Amino acid sequence: MNRFTDISSYLNRPGFAFRSLRHRNYRYYFFGQLISLPGTWIQNIALGWLVYKLTDSAFMLGAVGFAGQIPALLLTPVAGVYADRTNRRKILIITQSVSMLVAFSVSVLIFSGTVEIWHIVAAAILNGISIAFDTPYRHAFLVEMVTEKKDLPNAIALNSTLFNTARFIGPPVGGLLIALGGEGLCFLVNGFSFLAVIGTLLAMNVKATAIVASGKSIFSDLLSGLKYAWGNRPIRVLLLMVITTSFTGLPYQVFMPVFAREVLGGDAQTLGLLTGAIGAGALTGAFFLASRKGLSEIPRIVYISATMFGIGLAAFSHSTSFWLSMGLLLVAGFGMVVEFASSNTLLQTMVDDRMRGRVVALYSMSFMGITPLGSLTLGSVAETAGVQNTLLISGLLCLLASLFFLRKIPLIRNAMKSAGL
């Protein structure tokens, strides 16, 4: 076969951005998520717009964000212990099914005209519980789908590409669907989208990682994971960086309905475009990481991307121009995803396999579990200081965090050399 038309030759190139797709099970997972994840972002747009329409409250936007993500803070560390003990694929099928049922239930409430804010809060909590278990299992399951460790960094970057492709596509589509059929249509579309990922999980032929019983209680295993992460200085620094950025920076996304309607004078479509701009920047960042061949420059990339995120967020906070806001959100989105995906790559490549589930659970908790605390805190601050001043402070705090990380780069590089990376 001509080498230019032989697709497998492209997938086998060491530097090619999609090289981990040569693993059959990961390829199934990739295309299932490619269909499913846009539905999640379509629903997220509808959720924020619905909450703001029902309450006209920036605080309630933060409160619903808190309700949806606080389960991650409480449950993700425990889920990480179980991810080192149980069959990961089976649990992922269960978590995806629960989220599908939640989406269908909310769509029925909206179409029937009976939806109230407490319904939204309850649905956010249920979905948050499902996600709290889904995330560490999904990260740990990656090593069962991608069986060659050299392809693992690329697969992690491609996961970010998936997520941010959805972030780019989903919100504008969500804004359009709200205009055409209302928020209920968005939840309905998301419910059906879960069938794709559930189907691909069922179709996989995975050789599950051998589960070795530790003979210890859940609490003991959880404590050993915490001790391991805290005692390993590079891992501790990376997790502290993720925690700080998550608390001070990531909650900006829950305030997008306020910026769309109040600051820029737009509607649901404006909200979709703003969120899509974040996704466009994030998608660009994910492709940037996926195309990289080595890990040597990843610590410096974490610093640069964290700086970009802080600057983009601070500048966006007081922009009153739609197009300038779009550009600044693109910069913030790029910085955000590159910082977090790079940190995840470093963690996944340095962690002991016996501790993988627990450490990736701590990473997941660091952005999923800490973000709701930031959402609630910044939502309260925004009630008095205003959302623009609140996000300005957030951006400046993210810049301070990036300067802290700059001083720790030599430490992480030395750890990478010791690990042969």
Side-chain angles (χ1 to χ4, degrees), residues 24-330:
R24 174 185 177 275
N25 291 316
Y26 183 72
R27 189 163 63 247
Y28 275 29
Y29 171 85
F30 182 91
F31 288 109
Q33 291 283 2
L34 187 63
I35 296 170
S36 179
L37 284 173
T40 299
W41 280 100
I42 288 171
Q43 177 174 299
N44 285 346
I45 286 295
L47 178 68
W49 193 254
L50 180 62
V51 169
Y52 199 50
K53 185 170 73 173
L54 291 173
T55 65
D56 284 317
S57 170
F59 173 77
M60 282 307 302
L61 285 169
V64 172
F66 175 83
Q69 294 176 311
I70 194 60
L73 180 64
L74 303 175
L75 299 177
T76 298
V78 177
V81 175
Y82 279 106
D84 286 330
R85 293 184 172 204
T86 56
N87 186 291
R88 293 160 183 167
R89 181 174 62 156
K90 290 181 180 178
I91 300 300
L92 286 172
I93 292 171
I94 293 171
T95 57
Q96 293 291 303
S97 299
V98 169
S99 294
M100 178 178 67
L101 292 174
V102 170
F104 281 142
S105 299
V106 175
S107 69
V108 170
L109 288 170
I110 295 173
F111 282 129
S112 65
T114 59
V115 67
E116 297 180 18
I117 190 63
W118 73 266
H119 293 139
I120 303 301
V121 173
I125 293 172
L126 287 173
N127 199 48
I129 293 172
S130 174
I131 293 172
F133 279 87
D134 183 89
T135 304
Y137 273 88
R138 183 160 31 88
H139 284 298
F141 187 54
L142 199 58
V143 296
E144 295 179 25
M145 294 184 290
V146 180
T147 53
E148 294 183 33
K149 196 168 184 178
K150 66 179 181 179
D151 290 331
L152 191 59
N154 176 254
I156 293 169
L158 280 186
N159 278 357
S160 294
T161 303
L162 275 172
F163 185 80
N164 292 294
T165 298
R167 189 202 293 265
F168 175 61
I169 295 171
V173 173
L176 180 62
L177 291 178
I178 292 172
L180 293 176
E183 297 85 358
L185 181 59
C186 295
F187 281 86
L188 185 64
V189 168
N190 185 43
F192 280 113
S193 74
F194 282 106
L195 294 174
V197 69
I198 293 171
T200 55
L201 285 168
L202 290 170
M204 287 181 188
N205 182 18
V206 177
K207 182 180 179 181
T209 300
I211 304 297
V212 179
S214 67
K216 299 178 181 178
S217 67
I218 294 295
F219 178 77
S220 295
D221 274 353
L222 175 60
L223 191 60
S224 66
L226 291 170
K227 286 181 178 178
Y228 172 81
W230 185 257
N232 187 308
R233 288 184 65 199
I235 289 178
R236 184 172 76 222
V237 167
L238 286 165
L239 290 175
L240 287 174
M241 180 65 178
V242 172
I243 287 170
T244 304
T245 307
S246 297
F247 184 85
T248 60
L250 289 193
Y252 82 101
Q253 296 175 88
V254 304
F255 299 120
M256 286 299 105
V258 182
F259 279 90
R261 198 174 83 177
E262 306 298 336
V263 177
L264 299 176
D267 53 16
Q269 192 65 40
T270 306
L271 173 61
L273 291 171
L274 289 176
T275 311
I278 300 171
L283 179 59
T284 305
F287 272 118
F288 165 75
L289 283 178
S291 63
R292 297 195 63 81
K293 295 182 180 180
L295 297 173
S296 61
E297 291 302 310
I298 294 294
R300 187 172 66 91
I301 288 172
V302 173
Y303 161 68
I304 294 172
S305 57
T307 302
M308 290 177 65
F309 178 53
I311 292 174
L313 189 58
F316 166 76
S317 67
H318 279 71
S319 169
T320 55
S321 164
F322 172 76
W323 291 109
L324 178 59
S325 295
M326 291 276 285
L328 292 170
L329 286 177
L330 192 147

